[in-house]
Amino acid sequence: MKKEMIEKSYQLAKERYAALGVDTDKVIAEMDNINISLHCWQTDDVGGFEKAGSVLGGGGIQATGNFPGKSKTIEQMRADLDKVMSLLPGKQRLNLHAIYGEFGGETVDRDQIEVKHFQGWIDWAKKRGIGLDFNCTCFSHPYADDGFTLSAKNEKIRKFWVEHTKRCRAIAAEMGKQLGTPAVHNIWIPDGSKDTPVDRNGLRGQLKKSLDEIFAVKYPKKHLKDSVESKLFGIGSESMVVGSHDFYVGYAIRNNTMITLDNGHFHPTEMVGDKISSILQFVDEILLHLTRGVRWDSDHVLTFNDELLLITGEIVRCNALKRVNVGLDFFDASLNRIGAYVIGTRSAQMAFMYALLEPGKTLLKFEDEGKNFERLALLELLKSMPFGAVYDYYCMKSKVLVGQDYIDEIMKYEKEVLLKR
Ligand code: RNT
Ligand code: ZN
């Protein structure tokens, strides 16, 4: 896109927003403080680099599609991530799962992983001046096949996953230490039951016991931030999920951890955006897994929709940008995976920008004075304000391709790199 056109559109947009009392330059400056954590698993459909070349299995999470070009090696994954980051304004973080270590062709079971398997990633991140986040991988493993990991009643299996998760926290803390920015470690387990269980209580007791063992090891907050992720149901865990929202909200408040809000993990009419002002009354920080569930937790590529806008809008209205860690969680194998990343991350950025461009004081005044018509009218008018011109200008200022130009760049990468794999 032409520089002049972008600048001209921005000047007009700036005036339009200024008329509402909104300073677009300030908003653009604020955007650089929103560091979205890119989930590495969109590059390879949650495969990972364990020796057997693990394929996503168990836990009811699923990537569908067979678009060519998925990354099969660490080098390919890194190249893809570099490409993605080169097309995004601002700075991102990288969110790794434990199956993405550099195991050098060895079989390293999950209860054996160490920092050395992730040192390459730490060095990679250091070179780019970005932070890392981390996740234990309690699925795609024979010990997860029975449907229970940290909540297993089988002591051998439970201990195995406790050991795995402890190691993952240790690795994450080391990432945070070496990179000088705390790593978020997130725990999600697939545990649940297809049919009606009779001992929900016993299973939840087991999970609590496991978490207590895991969190008994303390790390400085400046190195590690812990989070726990709930879910409503999954394929194969339709009747009960051990780590439900109630369970983890209780656990997080009592044990001072963060809570992960994945917006695919609730009833379709339930809005995660509505939960933010409740949860932030009681926990210090939250982790987001931004996604787009289509009829179920389908992990479609994130788009700029009402659900996302309520989430970002509420974060800004709660003045909570500093208390929210932004992660993404979608994996679609039916289209160019690199393009999927850029679409999803840009949509998230644009949603934050849209939220920051809201004339908050005016809206609040209307609301407090009972001026409901004025509030609704302004909210509706905001939807046709030129926020796209502000985002375009932000991209240009950040020296990344603007507007549709990134589509061509991705098609070029597909032809030159992805299709040759
Ligand atoms: C699954 C959870 C979880 C995973 C990733 C791969 O339903 O959303 O966050 O998607 O850890
Ligand atoms: Zn998630």
Side-chain angles (χ1 to χ4, degrees):
M1 264 167 86
K2 281 207 197 101
K3 195 170 169 249
E4 276 161 49
M5 193 162 81
I6 300 163
E7 266 168 1
K8 224 173 169 181
S9 307
Y10 177 66
Q11 283 314 320
L12 291 173
K14 189 176 159 153
E15 280 175 44
R16 290 281 310 275
Y17 279 104
L20 294 175
V22 177
D23 182 342
T24 50
D25 289 334
K26 244 195 194 155
V27 168
I28 287 178
E30 182 71 34
M31 284 301 292
D32 277 338
N33 298 324
I34 300 171
N35 304 129
I36 298 180
S37 194
L38 300 178
H39 53 312
C40 74
W41 51 94
Q42 164 65 54
T43 62
D44 78 331
D45 315 337
V46 210
F49 301 122
E50 288 178 322
K51 200 180 179 194
S54 68
V55 186
L56 177 57
I61 52 177
Q62 217 171 343
T64 48
N66 55 1
F67 197 84
K70 88 170 172 191
S71 70
K72 294 187 190 101
T73 62
I74 294 210
E75 291 68 40
Q76 290 180 355
M77 183 182 241
R78 288 182 183 156
D80 287 357
L81 290 166
D82 276 333
K83 189 76 212 171
V84 170
M85 289 187 187
S86 77
L87 294 171
L88 295 171
K91 244 192 187 163
Q92 287 73 48
R93 302 171 62 87
L94 176 66
N95 189 12
L96 289 168
H97 242 284
I99 47 177
Y100 289 91
E102 283 178 277
F103 303 116
E106 309 261 301
T107 305
V108 182
D109 209 348
R110 306 266 172 94
D111 62 343
Q112 299 297 318
I113 57 168
E114 294 174 46
V115 171
K116 68 175 186 204
H117 301 118
F118 295 88
Q119 191 57 50
W121 278 115
I122 299 175
D123 298 341
W124 184 87
K126 193 173 237 164
K127 236 191 218 157
R128 284 153 184 78
I130 64 170
L132 288 177
D133 298 310
F134 203 51
N135 303 261
C136 50
T137 312
C138 301
F139 52 84
S140 302
H141 188 281
Y143 278 0
D145 285 349
D146 288 343
F148 299 100
T149 63
L150 289 177
S151 73
K153 289 189 183 178
N154 177 324
E155 197 58 7
K156 190 172 145 206
I157 290 182
R158 193 186 69 83
K159 282 278 180 207
F160 174 86
W161 291 112
V162 167
E163 179 62 27
H164 170 63
T165 310
K166 279 182 156 173
R167 282 173 181 252
C168 287
R169 287 182 71 238
I171 293 165
E174 183 61 24
M175 288 172 165
K177 188 175 171 193
Q178 288 192 36
L179 295 171
T181 164
V184 172
H185 181 266
N186 179 49
I187 299 180
W188 174 75
I189 55 165
D191 302 28
S193 141
K194 181 183 174 96
D195 225 326
T196 312
V198 294
D199 194 17
R200 296 168 198 256
N201 181 51
L203 292 163
R204 292 192 167 123
Q206 290 292 93
L207 177 55
K208 181 170 177 290
K209 182 163 102 184
S210 295
L211 293 173
D212 288 347
E213 287 170 24
I214 289 163
F215 293 127
V217 187
K218 304 286 175 208
Y219 296 95
K221 269 249 154 37
K222 63 176 196 258
H223 298 158
L224 177 70
K225 298 200 272 190
D226 285 296
S227 198
V228 287
E229 180 179 8
S230 70
K231 186 157 171 162
L232 177 64
F233 82 94
I235 306 291
S237 62
E238 289 85 353
S239 295
M240 191 251 344
V241 161
V242 185
S244 60
H245 187 56
D246 313 63
F247 178 92
Y248 281 129
V249 166
Y251 196 88
I253 292 170
R254 181 177 282 183
N255 298 284
N256 200 21
T257 72
M258 302 197 290
I259 184 118
T260 305
L261 294 173
D262 180 316
N263 57 302
H265 289 191
F266 295 87
H267 189 280
T269 65
E270 217 176 335
M271 287 286 158
V272 160
D274 180 51
K275 298 176 187 300
I276 290 166
S277 57
S278 294
I279 293 180
L280 285 180
Q281 308 283 342
F282 304 103
V283 303
D284 293 340
E285 289 186 32
I286 57 173
L287 169 64
L288 294 175
H289 270 192
L290 298 176
T291 190
R292 177 168 51 110
V294 177
R295 304 191 186 280
W296 71 294
D297 183 29
S298 60
D299 288 300
H300 278 66
V301 180
L302 188 63
T303 56
F304 187 80
N305 62 17
D306 283 353
E307 189 171 326
L308 176 59
L309 287 172
L310 185 63
I311 294 172
T312 56
E314 279 300 301
I315 293 167
V316 170
R317 293 166 188 157
C318 292
N319 192 20
L321 277 170
K322 288 202 174 70
R323 296 168 65 195
V324 176
N325 303 270
V326 188
L328 306 170
D329 190 7
F330 51 82
F331 30 100
D332 191 337
S334 73
L335 72 171
N336 183 306
R337 293 172 182 79
I338 307 313
Y341 260 125
V342 181
I343 296 171
T345 317
R346 283 189 173 217
S347 298
Q349 289 181 326
M350 208 138 79
F352 275 106
M353 180 172 262
Y354 185 91
L356 288 165
L357 287 168
E358 190 173 272
K361 275 194 196 122
T362 310
L363 284 164
L364 186 63
K365 193 162 171 280
F366 286 157
E367 183 159 301
D368 287 346
E369 290 171 0
K371 294 182 171 163
N372 295 351
F373 152 69
E374 291 89 329
R375 180 186 61 186
L376 185 60
L378 186 50
L379 283 171
E380 203 57 13
L381 282 166
L382 288 171
K383 295 177 183 167
S384 58
M385 286 287 286
F387 56 89
V390 184
Y391 187 76
D392 286 346
Y393 185 73
Y394 174 50
C395 287
M396 191 182 87
K397 262 194 78 187
S398 312
K399 301 195 171 48
V400 300
L401 290 175
V402 179
Q404 66 268 31
D405 290 358
Y406 89 84
I407 301 178
D408 292 339
E409 186 62 24
I410 288 192
M411 294 323 294
K412 198 166 143 233
Y413 188 72
E414 178 173 313
K415 209 164 134 220
E416 289 169 4
V417 181
L418 299 179
L419 294 179
K420 292 193 177 142
R421 286 184 179 159

